[in-house]
């Protein structure tokens, strides 16, 4: 059994992940984090301009 596996996979690459896995990427959470980061940068920019002028 071990020899057959080594012949099929001589470089010992890991098996591929099944397609349609339940734990896929969560783009909604990433979008929320990105929006919060942009708003925070806008707030910092506005506050620094208000402080300097």
């Amino acid at each position: 059994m071990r020899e057959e596996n080594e012949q099929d996979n001589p470089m010992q690459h890991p098996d591929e992940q099944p397609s349609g896995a339940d734990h896929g990427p969560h783009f909604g959470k990433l979008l929320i984090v990105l929006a919060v980061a942009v708003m925070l940068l806008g707030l910092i920019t506005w506050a620094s301009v208000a402080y300097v002028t």
Side-chain angles (χ1 to χ4, degrees):
M1 178 89 179
R2 179 83 175 153
E3 292 178 12
E4 291 177 11
N5 190 15
E6 289 177 1
Q7 290 175 356
D8 291 340
N9 192 1
M11 297 182 73
Q12 302 299 319
H13 292 294
D15 293 335
E16 293 184 15
Q17 297 293 323
S19 63
D22 293 335
H23 304 290
H26 300 284
F27 292 114
K29 292 180 183 178
L30 183 62
L31 186 62
I32 291 170
V33 169
L34 180 63
V36 169
V38 169
M39 288 190 299
L40 184 61
L41 286 173
L43 180 66
I44 291 171
T45 303
W46 174 78
S48 63
V49 168
Y51 179 75
V52 170
T53 56

